Amino acid sequence: MSLKKHISLILILAMLMTAVPALGTADSVSAASTLKKPALTNHAAGSKSIKNTWKKVRGAKGYEVYRSAKKKGKYQKVKTIKKGKTTSWTNKKLKKNKAYFYKVRAYKIVKGKKKYSKFSAVQRAVTTNTPAWEWYMSKKSEKTDTIKLEITNKSRYNMNFTKNGIFFRDADSLEQAAELGESATPQELEAAGIYELKAKAGAIRPGKTKVLTYKADKEVDYSRKSILFGEFKYNKTKYLIFAGWDMEAGYIKE
């Protein structure tokens, strides 16, 4: 290649090198220096412990975990994770049957100083060995053959839901069910506002969320007074879960 061509290429390369920063190098450096906030989940790991888990943040050198006894209370740093690949930490030696609130942030080291991401959303968990969850049901009165119950398992073991469920139109339907007894015909149950439900069976792992879809053979009158019963197995024990969008959900040991 001739000297003339060499000089031409060098001039073009010099022009490109001076033009690139103006086009977006500064923005890319800024974006690369910003850490995403972690996505945190947690659940009971025992009667005196809570496990916190978060998604790995790209570029993070480590993480800091903060805890409070109240959601809007004062948070104190309880753990510093010094490896970016570590994405969980179990807080032990806590009080039994007590609620704790956590948040976590990622950090990296820039010129010897820590640079932080924003904090994750606050997550609550209770120390327990028994079933515990957060839940949501649609708050809309309607005639429907499908009822959805969203469950977040906040306890230590899997919640293994079965295919069975029962729908009660209201508290009066519950009383009528007791009066009718096991010998009641489908027609009598329907007249009382009681329907059998079918759902896809499945397990909800600790810290995970799943929407359970219960279906009836025909439309039911779903409202704030309605009550849904389901069934699940937890640590080899069977339980009935009951829920309604105008009441607190709970469970009964079978």
Side-chain angles (χ1 to χ4, degrees), residues 11-59:
L11 288 173
I12 292 171
L13 182 61
M15 290 173 63
L16 288 173
M17 289 178 68
T18 55
V20 170
L23 290 173
T25 300
D27 288 341
S28 64
V29 169
S30 175
S33 65
T34 303
L35 295 171
K36 288 186 177 181
K37 69 178 181 180
L40 175 68
T41 60
N42 60 16
H43 61 87
S47 61
K48 292 184 178 181
S49 59
I50 291 172
K51 183 176 182 178
N52 291 276
T53 304
W54 54 90
K55 289 187 178 180
K56 180 182 176 182
V57 175
R58 185 176 180 181

mmCIF file of all heavy atoms in Angstrom, residues 11-59:
data_model
loop_
_atom_site.group_PDB
_atom_site.id
_atom_site.type_symbol
_atom_site.label_atom_id
_atom_site.label_comp_id
_atom_site.label_asym_id
_atom_site.label_seq_id
_atom_site.Cartn_x
_atom_site.Cartn_y
_atom_site.Cartn_z
ATOM 1 N N LEU A 11 -6.065 9.769 8.391
ATOM 2 C CA LEU A 11 -6.910 10.947 8.532
ATOM 3 C C LEU A 11 -8.365 10.550 8.802
ATOM 4 O O LEU A 11 -9.048 11.145 9.644
ATOM 5 C CB LEU A 11 -6.816 11.802 7.264
ATOM 6 C CG LEU A 11 -5.492 12.561 7.070
ATOM 7 C CD1 LEU A 11 -5.458 13.224 5.691
ATOM 8 C CD2 LEU A 11 -5.324 13.614 8.169
ATOM 9 N N ILE A 12 -8.850 9.538 8.061
ATOM 10 C CA ILE A 12 -10.234 9.067 8.250
ATOM 11 C C ILE A 12 -10.420 8.500 9.645
ATOM 12 O O ILE A 12 -11.409 8.777 10.328
ATOM 13 C CB ILE A 12 -10.584 8.003 7.179
ATOM 14 C CG1 ILE A 12 -10.643 8.661 5.791
ATOM 15 C CG2 ILE A 12 -11.919 7.338 7.505
ATOM 16 C CD1 ILE A 12 -10.754 7.665 4.657
ATOM 17 N N LEU A 13 -9.435 7.691 10.102
ATOM 18 C CA LEU A 13 -9.503 7.086 11.433
ATOM 19 C C LEU A 13 -9.507 8.163 12.519
ATOM 20 O O LEU A 13 -10.257 8.078 13.493
ATOM 21 C CB LEU A 13 -8.309 6.146 11.628
ATOM 22 C CG LEU A 13 -8.261 5.395 12.967
ATOM 23 C CD1 LEU A 13 -9.491 4.514 13.131
ATOM 24 C CD2 LEU A 13 -6.997 4.543 13.024
ATOM 25 N N ALA A 14 -8.706 9.193 12.343
ATOM 26 C CA ALA A 14 -8.643 10.281 13.313
ATOM 27 C C ALA A 14 -9.979 11.004 13.410
ATOM 28 O O ALA A 14 -10.440 11.379 14.491
ATOM 29 C CB ALA A 14 -7.534 11.263 12.925
ATOM 30 N N MET A 15 -10.631 11.210 12.244
ATOM 31 C CA MET A 15 -11.937 11.872 12.204
ATOM 32 C C MET A 15 -12.989 11.031 12.948
ATOM 33 O O MET A 15 -13.813 11.552 13.699
ATOM 34 C CB MET A 15 -12.361 12.113 10.756
ATOM 35 C CG MET A 15 -11.541 13.178 10.042
ATOM 36 S SD MET A 15 -11.958 13.275 8.276
ATOM 37 C CE MET A 15 -13.678 13.783 8.391
ATOM 38 N N LEU A 16 -12.961 9.709 12.729
ATOM 39 C CA LEU A 16 -13.921 8.811 13.390
ATOM 40 C C LEU A 16 -13.725 8.803 14.898
ATOM 41 O O LEU A 16 -14.677 8.822 15.672
ATOM 42 C CB LEU A 16 -13.773 7.381 12.842
ATOM 43 C CG LEU A 16 -14.274 7.159 11.414
ATOM 44 C CD1 LEU A 16 -13.906 5.749 10.952
ATOM 45 C CD2 LEU A 16 -15.789 7.347 11.346
ATOM 46 N N MET A 17 -12.467 8.803 15.317
ATOM 47 C CA MET A 17 -12.165 8.758 16.756
ATOM 48 C C MET A 17 -12.625 10.023 17.459
ATOM 49 O O MET A 17 -13.067 9.987 18.607
ATOM 50 C CB MET A 17 -10.673 8.540 16.979
ATOM 51 C CG MET A 17 -10.196 7.137 16.612
ATOM 52 S SD MET A 17 -8.433 6.925 16.826
ATOM 53 C CE MET A 17 -8.299 7.015 18.604
ATOM 54 N N THR A 18 -12.563 11.151 16.792
ATOM 55 C CA THR A 18 -13.004 12.401 17.412
ATOM 56 C C THR A 18 -14.518 12.543 17.347
ATOM 57 O O THR A 18 -15.120 13.213 18.176
ATOM 58 C CB THR A 18 -12.354 13.612 16.711
ATOM 59 O OG1 THR A 18 -12.648 13.548 15.311
ATOM 60 C CG2 THR A 18 -10.858 13.613 16.941
ATOM 61 N N ALA A 19 -15.163 11.879 16.384
ATOM 62 C CA ALA A 19 -16.613 12.003 16.213
ATOM 63 C C ALA A 19 -17.383 11.074 17.140
ATOM 64 O O ALA A 19 -18.450 11.420 17.624
ATOM 65 C CB ALA A 19 -16.992 11.711 14.763
ATOM 66 N N VAL A 20 -16.847 9.881 17.404
ATOM 67 C CA VAL A 20 -17.576 8.879 18.197
ATOM 68 C C VAL A 20 -17.973 9.357 19.576
ATOM 69 O O VAL A 20 -19.120 9.192 19.979
ATOM 70 C CB VAL A 20 -16.764 7.569 18.289
ATOM 71 C CG1 VAL A 20 -17.377 6.614 19.309
ATOM 72 C CG2 VAL A 20 -16.732 6.899 16.921
ATOM 73 N N PRO A 21 -17.066 10.006 20.355
ATOM 74 C CA PRO A 21 -17.465 10.447 21.692
ATOM 75 C C PRO A 21 -18.677 11.374 21.674
ATOM 76 O O PRO A 21 -19.536 11.307 22.518
ATOM 77 C CB PRO A 21 -16.215 11.160 22.215
ATOM 78 C CG PRO A 21 -15.090 10.509 21.490
ATOM 79 C CD PRO A 21 -15.623 10.237 20.124
ATOM 80 N N ALA A 22 -18.744 12.264 20.669
ATOM 81 C CA ALA A 22 -19.853 13.204 20.586
ATOM 82 C C ALA A 22 -21.167 12.490 20.299
ATOM 83 O O ALA A 22 -22.234 12.972 20.637
ATOM 84 C CB ALA A 22 -19.566 14.239 19.502
ATOM 85 N N LEU A 23 -21.107 11.329 19.662
ATOM 86 C CA LEU A 23 -22.312 10.603 19.290
ATOM 87 C C LEU A 23 -22.910 9.791 20.425
ATOM 88 O O LEU A 23 -24.076 9.462 20.395
ATOM 89 C CB LEU A 23 -21.995 9.666 18.110
ATOM 90 C CG LEU A 23 -21.715 10.348 16.771
ATOM 91 C CD1 LEU A 23 -21.265 9.317 15.758
ATOM 92 C CD2 LEU A 23 -22.944 11.087 16.270
ATOM 93 N N GLY A 24 -22.115 9.424 21.438
ATOM 94 C CA GLY A 24 -22.762 8.627 22.483
ATOM 95 C C GLY A 24 -21.856 7.904 23.452
ATOM 96 O O GLY A 24 -22.338 7.140 24.264
ATOM 97 N N THR A 25 -20.572 8.127 23.402
ATOM 98 C CA THR A 25 -19.696 7.440 24.330
ATOM 99 C C THR A 25 -19.984 7.837 25.773
ATOM 100 O O THR A 25 -20.008 7.001 26.668
ATOM 101 C CB THR A 25 -18.219 7.746 23.988
ATOM 102 O OG1 THR A 25 -17.962 7.300 22.667
ATOM 103 C CG2 THR A 25 -17.281 7.046 24.960
ATOM 104 N N ALA A 26 -20.248 9.126 25.998
ATOM 105 C CA ALA A 26 -20.513 9.593 27.356
ATOM 106 C C ALA A 26 -21.745 8.909 27.926
ATOM 107 O O ALA A 26 -21.761 8.496 29.080
ATOM 108 C CB ALA A 26 -20.705 11.110 27.360
ATOM 109 N N ASP A 27 -22.793 8.755 27.108
ATOM 110 C CA ASP A 27 -24.019 8.104 27.573
ATOM 111 C C ASP A 27 -23.773 6.643 27.910
ATOM 112 O O ASP A 27 -24.293 6.124 28.889
ATOM 113 C CB ASP A 27 -25.114 8.191 26.500
ATOM 114 C CG ASP A 27 -25.653 9.607 26.382
ATOM 115 O OD1 ASP A 27 -25.460 10.387 27.343
ATOM 116 O OD2 ASP A 27 -26.239 9.921 25.342
ATOM 117 N N SER A 28 -22.990 5.952 27.080
ATOM 118 C CA SER A 28 -22.751 4.539 27.333
ATOM 119 C C SER A 28 -21.945 4.334 28.607
ATOM 120 O O SER A 28 -22.172 3.384 29.340
ATOM 121 C CB SER A 28 -22.022 3.900 26.126
ATOM 122 O OG SER A 28 -20.748 4.480 25.963
ATOM 123 N N VAL A 29 -21.019 5.234 28.896
ATOM 124 C CA VAL A 29 -20.242 5.133 30.118
ATOM 125 C C VAL A 29 -21.146 5.346 31.330
ATOM 126 O O VAL A 29 -21.076 4.646 32.324
ATOM 127 C CB VAL A 29 -19.087 6.159 30.124
ATOM 128 C CG1 VAL A 29 -18.442 6.239 31.507
ATOM 129 C CG2 VAL A 29 -18.055 5.797 29.074
ATOM 130 N N SER A 30 -22.055 6.338 31.205
ATOM 131 C CA SER A 30 -22.984 6.621 32.293
ATOM 132 C C SER A 30 -23.889 5.436 32.560
ATOM 133 O O SER A 30 -24.134 5.069 33.703
ATOM 134 C CB SER A 30 -23.823 7.851 31.935
ATOM 135 O OG SER A 30 -24.796 8.073 32.919
ATOM 136 N N ALA A 31 -24.399 4.819 31.480
ATOM 137 C CA ALA A 31 -25.290 3.669 31.639
ATOM 138 C C ALA A 31 -24.567 2.496 32.276
ATOM 139 O O ALA A 31 -25.111 1.785 33.113
ATOM 140 C CB ALA A 31 -25.858 3.263 30.276
ATOM 141 N N ALA A 32 -23.316 2.315 31.878
ATOM 142 C CA ALA A 32 -22.555 1.183 32.402
ATOM 143 C C ALA A 32 -22.239 1.352 33.882
ATOM 144 O O ALA A 32 -22.058 0.381 34.600
ATOM 145 C CB ALA A 32 -21.259 1.018 31.606
ATOM 146 N N SER A 33 -22.182 2.620 34.350
ATOM 147 C CA SER A 33 -21.832 2.865 35.743
ATOM 148 C C SER A 33 -23.034 2.760 36.673
ATOM 149 O O SER A 33 -22.897 2.824 37.879
ATOM 150 C CB SER A 33 -21.204 4.257 35.884
ATOM 151 O OG SER A 33 -22.163 5.253 35.573
ATOM 152 N N THR A 34 -24.245 2.614 36.115
ATOM 153 C CA THR A 34 -25.460 2.539 36.920
ATOM 154 C C THR A 34 -25.868 1.094 37.145
ATOM 155 O O THR A 34 -26.056 0.340 36.194
ATOM 156 C CB THR A 34 -26.608 3.290 36.223
ATOM 157 O OG1 THR A 34 -26.213 4.642 35.988
ATOM 158 C CG2 THR A 34 -27.864 3.271 37.078
ATOM 159 N N LEU A 35 -26.016 0.726 38.407
ATOM 160 C CA LEU A 35 -26.453 -0.626 38.742
ATOM 161 C C LEU A 35 -27.970 -0.672 38.846
ATOM 162 O O LEU A 35 -28.593 0.234 39.409
ATOM 163 C CB LEU A 35 -25.850 -1.055 40.084
ATOM 164 C CG LEU A 35 -24.332 -1.217 40.149
ATOM 165 C CD1 LEU A 35 -23.913 -1.421 41.600
ATOM 166 C CD2 LEU A 35 -23.879 -2.389 39.301
ATOM 167 N N LYS A 36 -28.567 -1.724 38.348
ATOM 168 C CA LYS A 36 -30.005 -1.902 38.498
ATOM 169 C C LYS A 36 -30.319 -2.287 39.940
ATOM 170 O O LYS A 36 -29.520 -2.943 40.604
ATOM 171 C CB LYS A 36 -30.508 -3.007 37.560
ATOM 172 C CG LYS A 36 -30.521 -2.607 36.104
ATOM 173 C CD LYS A 36 -31.159 -3.699 35.264
ATOM 174 C CE LYS A 36 -31.249 -3.295 33.805
ATOM 175 N NZ LYS A 36 -31.887 -4.355 32.974
ATOM 176 N N LYS A 37 -31.482 -1.881 40.428
ATOM 177 C CA LYS A 37 -31.845 -2.274 41.791
ATOM 178 C C LYS A 37 -32.230 -3.750 41.805
ATOM 179 O O LYS A 37 -32.871 -4.242 40.867
ATOM 180 C CB LYS A 37 -32.973 -1.408 42.336
ATOM 181 C CG LYS A 37 -34.319 -1.596 41.693
ATOM 182 C CD LYS A 37 -35.346 -0.688 42.387
ATOM 183 C CE LYS A 37 -36.733 -0.873 41.790
ATOM 184 N NZ LYS A 37 -37.730 0.000 42.452
ATOM 185 N N PRO A 38 -31.870 -4.486 42.854
ATOM 186 C CA PRO A 38 -32.172 -5.921 42.918
ATOM 187 C C PRO A 38 -33.674 -6.175 43.064
ATOM 188 O O PRO A 38 -34.408 -5.341 43.584
ATOM 189 C CB PRO A 38 -31.424 -6.382 44.184
ATOM 190 C CG PRO A 38 -30.437 -5.297 44.477
ATOM 191 C CD PRO A 38 -31.069 -4.029 43.992
ATOM 192 N N ALA A 39 -34.101 -7.342 42.572
ATOM 193 C CA ALA A 39 -35.480 -7.803 42.765
ATOM 194 C C ALA A 39 -35.462 -8.805 43.914
ATOM 195 O O ALA A 39 -34.930 -9.907 43.782
ATOM 196 C CB ALA A 39 -36.007 -8.448 41.493
ATOM 197 N N LEU A 40 -36.025 -8.423 45.046
ATOM 198 C CA LEU A 40 -35.941 -9.207 46.278
ATOM 199 C C LEU A 40 -37.201 -10.008 46.542
ATOM 200 O O LEU A 40 -38.316 -9.524 46.344
ATOM 201 C CB LEU A 40 -35.678 -8.271 47.460
ATOM 202 C CG LEU A 40 -35.681 -8.873 48.869
ATOM 203 C CD1 LEU A 40 -34.492 -9.803 49.054
ATOM 204 C CD2 LEU A 40 -35.678 -7.764 49.919
ATOM 205 N N THR A 41 -37.039 -11.249 47.005
ATOM 206 C CA THR A 41 -38.130 -12.047 47.560
ATOM 207 C C THR A 41 -37.620 -12.655 48.865
ATOM 208 O O THR A 41 -36.414 -12.790 49.070
ATOM 209 C CB THR A 41 -38.577 -13.187 46.620
ATOM 210 O OG1 THR A 41 -37.462 -14.062 46.378
ATOM 211 C CG2 THR A 41 -39.082 -12.645 45.296
ATOM 212 N N ASN A 42 -38.552 -13.018 49.767
ATOM 213 C CA ASN A 42 -38.120 -13.694 50.981
ATOM 214 C C ASN A 42 -39.230 -14.574 51.532
ATOM 215 O O ASN A 42 -40.384 -14.503 51.102
ATOM 216 C CB ASN A 42 -37.614 -12.708 52.040
ATOM 217 C CG ASN A 42 -38.654 -11.700 52.465
ATOM 218 O OD1 ASN A 42 -39.838 -11.857 52.231
ATOM 219 N ND2 ASN A 42 -38.199 -10.629 53.091
ATOM 220 N N HIS A 43 -38.865 -15.440 52.469
ATOM 221 C CA HIS A 43 -39.814 -16.361 53.084
ATOM 222 C C HIS A 43 -39.203 -16.916 54.366
ATOM 223 O O HIS A 43 -37.985 -16.822 54.588
ATOM 224 C CB HIS A 43 -40.162 -17.508 52.126
ATOM 225 C CG HIS A 43 -38.983 -18.340 51.728
ATOM 226 N ND1 HIS A 43 -38.539 -19.417 52.466
ATOM 227 C CD2 HIS A 43 -38.136 -18.246 50.664
ATOM 228 C CE1 HIS A 43 -37.488 -19.956 51.870
ATOM 229 N NE2 HIS A 43 -37.213 -19.262 50.773
ATOM 230 N N ALA A 44 -40.061 -17.488 55.202
ATOM 231 C CA ALA A 44 -39.570 -18.102 56.430
ATOM 232 C C ALA A 44 -38.674 -19.288 56.094
ATOM 233 O O ALA A 44 -38.977 -20.069 55.192
ATOM 234 C CB ALA A 44 -40.745 -18.563 57.287
ATOM 235 N N ALA A 45 -37.578 -19.408 56.818
ATOM 236 C CA ALA A 45 -36.685 -20.550 56.655
ATOM 237 C C ALA A 45 -36.728 -21.434 57.894
ATOM 238 O O ALA A 45 -36.041 -22.448 57.977
ATOM 239 C CB ALA A 45 -35.261 -20.081 56.395
ATOM 240 N N GLY A 46 -37.551 -21.054 58.859
ATOM 241 C CA GLY A 46 -37.685 -21.797 60.104
ATOM 242 C C GLY A 46 -38.376 -20.933 61.134
ATOM 243 O O GLY A 46 -38.803 -19.807 60.850
ATOM 244 N N SER A 47 -38.478 -21.433 62.360
ATOM 245 C CA SER A 47 -39.177 -20.698 63.413
ATOM 246 C C SER A 47 -38.394 -19.489 63.917
ATOM 247 O O SER A 47 -38.938 -18.632 64.605
ATOM 248 C CB SER A 47 -39.469 -21.636 64.593
ATOM 249 O OG SER A 47 -38.247 -22.135 65.134
ATOM 250 N N LYS A 48 -37.087 -19.411 63.535
ATOM 251 C CA LYS A 48 -36.267 -18.279 63.967
ATOM 252 C C LYS A 48 -35.406 -17.717 62.835
ATOM 253 O O LYS A 48 -34.412 -17.032 63.089
ATOM 254 C CB LYS A 48 -35.348 -18.698 65.126
ATOM 255 C CG LYS A 48 -36.064 -19.015 66.422
ATOM 256 C CD LYS A 48 -35.053 -19.314 67.520
ATOM 257 C CE LYS A 48 -35.729 -19.586 68.854
ATOM 258 N NZ LYS A 48 -34.743 -19.851 69.932
ATOM 259 N N SER A 49 -35.793 -17.985 61.585
ATOM 260 C CA SER A 49 -34.957 -17.533 60.471
ATOM 261 C C SER A 49 -35.783 -17.172 59.246
ATOM 262 O O SER A 49 -36.880 -17.696 59.037
ATOM 263 C CB SER A 49 -33.928 -18.604 60.101
ATOM 264 O OG SER A 49 -34.570 -19.807 59.740
ATOM 265 N N ILE A 50 -35.238 -16.257 58.440
ATOM 266 C CA ILE A 50 -35.862 -15.803 57.201
ATOM 267 C C ILE A 50 -34.816 -15.789 56.097
ATOM 268 O O ILE A 50 -33.704 -15.283 56.291
ATOM 269 C CB ILE A 50 -36.471 -14.398 57.370
ATOM 270 C CG1 ILE A 50 -37.694 -14.468 58.297
ATOM 271 C CG2 ILE A 50 -36.862 -13.804 56.012
ATOM 272 C CD1 ILE A 50 -38.246 -13.123 58.673
ATOM 273 N N LYS A 51 -35.177 -16.352 54.957
ATOM 274 C CA LYS A 51 -34.256 -16.387 53.814
ATOM 275 C C LYS A 51 -34.616 -15.290 52.816
ATOM 276 O O LYS A 51 -35.762 -15.169 52.394
ATOM 277 C CB LYS A 51 -34.301 -17.749 53.116
ATOM 278 C CG LYS A 51 -33.305 -17.859 51.967
ATOM 279 C CD LYS A 51 -33.294 -19.254 51.363
ATOM 280 C CE LYS A 51 -32.255 -19.352 50.243
ATOM 281 N NZ LYS A 51 -32.203 -20.717 49.664
ATOM 282 N N ASN A 52 -33.626 -14.499 52.453
ATOM 283 C CA ASN A 52 -33.775 -13.440 51.455
ATOM 284 C C ASN A 52 -33.059 -13.852 50.173
ATOM 285 O O ASN A 52 -31.899 -14.281 50.223
ATOM 286 C CB ASN A 52 -33.190 -12.125 51.973
ATOM 287 C CG ASN A 52 -33.992 -11.541 53.107
ATOM 288 O OD1 ASN A 52 -34.972 -10.850 52.881
ATOM 289 N ND2 ASN A 52 -33.590 -11.828 54.344
ATOM 290 N N THR A 53 -33.739 -13.696 49.042
ATOM 291 C CA THR A 53 -33.167 -14.076 47.749
ATOM 292 C C THR A 53 -33.405 -12.944 46.751
ATOM 293 O O THR A 53 -34.474 -12.339 46.744
ATOM 294 C CB THR A 53 -33.822 -15.365 47.221
ATOM 295 O OG1 THR A 53 -33.674 -16.403 48.194
ATOM 296 C CG2 THR A 53 -33.160 -15.818 45.915
ATOM 297 N N TRP A 54 -32.412 -12.660 45.929
ATOM 298 C CA TRP A 54 -32.557 -11.596 44.932
ATOM 299 C C TRP A 54 -31.906 -12.030 43.626
ATOM 300 O O TRP A 54 -31.087 -12.952 43.577
ATOM 301 C CB TRP A 54 -31.924 -10.293 45.427
ATOM 302 C CG TRP A 54 -30.495 -10.442 45.860
ATOM 303 C CD1 TRP A 54 -29.374 -10.311 45.092
ATOM 304 C CD2 TRP A 54 -30.026 -10.787 47.178
ATOM 305 N NE1 TRP A 54 -28.241 -10.553 45.830
ATOM 306 C CE2 TRP A 54 -28.613 -10.831 47.112
ATOM 307 C CE3 TRP A 54 -30.658 -11.048 48.391
ATOM 308 C CZ2 TRP A 54 -27.828 -11.142 48.226
ATOM 309 C CZ3 TRP A 54 -29.877 -11.351 49.492
ATOM 310 C CH2 TRP A 54 -28.490 -11.385 49.415
ATOM 311 N N LYS A 55 -32.291 -11.354 42.557
ATOM 312 C CA LYS A 55 -31.702 -11.658 41.253
ATOM 313 C C LYS A 55 -30.335 -10.988 41.146
ATOM 314 O O LYS A 55 -30.132 -9.869 41.620
ATOM 315 C CB LYS A 55 -32.621 -11.175 40.130
ATOM 316 C CG LYS A 55 -33.891 -11.988 39.993
ATOM 317 C CD LYS A 55 -34.681 -11.575 38.770
ATOM 318 C CE LYS A 55 -35.920 -12.433 38.611
ATOM 319 N NZ LYS A 55 -36.717 -12.053 37.421
ATOM 320 N N LYS A 56 -29.415 -11.686 40.497
ATOM 321 C CA LYS A 56 -28.066 -11.159 40.318
ATOM 322 C C LYS A 56 -28.103 -9.860 39.521
ATOM 323 O O LYS A 56 -28.791 -9.749 38.507
ATOM 324 C CB LYS A 56 -27.204 -12.198 39.595
ATOM 325 C CG LYS A 56 -25.770 -11.758 39.364
ATOM 326 C CD LYS A 56 -25.000 -12.830 38.603
ATOM 327 C CE LYS A 56 -23.586 -12.362 38.270
ATOM 328 N NZ LYS A 56 -22.848 -13.383 37.487
ATOM 329 N N VAL A 57 -27.366 -8.860 40.003
ATOM 330 C CA VAL A 57 -27.284 -7.572 39.322
ATOM 331 C C VAL A 57 -25.985 -7.512 38.527
ATOM 332 O O VAL A 57 -24.897 -7.700 39.084
ATOM 333 C CB VAL A 57 -27.344 -6.405 40.338
ATOM 334 C CG1 VAL A 57 -27.131 -5.073 39.623
ATOM 335 C CG2 VAL A 57 -28.687 -6.414 41.068
ATOM 336 N N ARG A 58 -26.114 -7.272 37.251
ATOM 337 C CA ARG A 58 -24.928 -7.213 36.377
ATOM 338 C C ARG A 58 -23.988 -6.084 36.806
ATOM 339 O O ARG A 58 -24.407 -4.951 37.015
ATOM 340 C CB ARG A 58 -25.367 -6.982 34.926
ATOM 341 C CG ARG A 58 -24.230 -7.030 33.927
ATOM 342 C CD ARG A 58 -24.761 -6.885 32.516
ATOM 343 N NE ARG A 58 -23.680 -6.931 31.534
ATOM 344 C CZ ARG A 58 -23.852 -6.803 30.220
ATOM 345 N NH1 ARG A 58 -25.081 -6.629 29.743
ATOM 346 N NH2 ARG A 58 -22.832 -6.855 29.406
ATOM 347 N N GLY A 59 -22.720 -6.423 36.986
ATOM 348 C CA GLY A 59 -21.715 -5.433 37.361
ATOM 349 C C GLY A 59 -21.564 -5.235 38.852
ATOM 350 O O GLY A 59 -20.708 -4.460 39.292
#
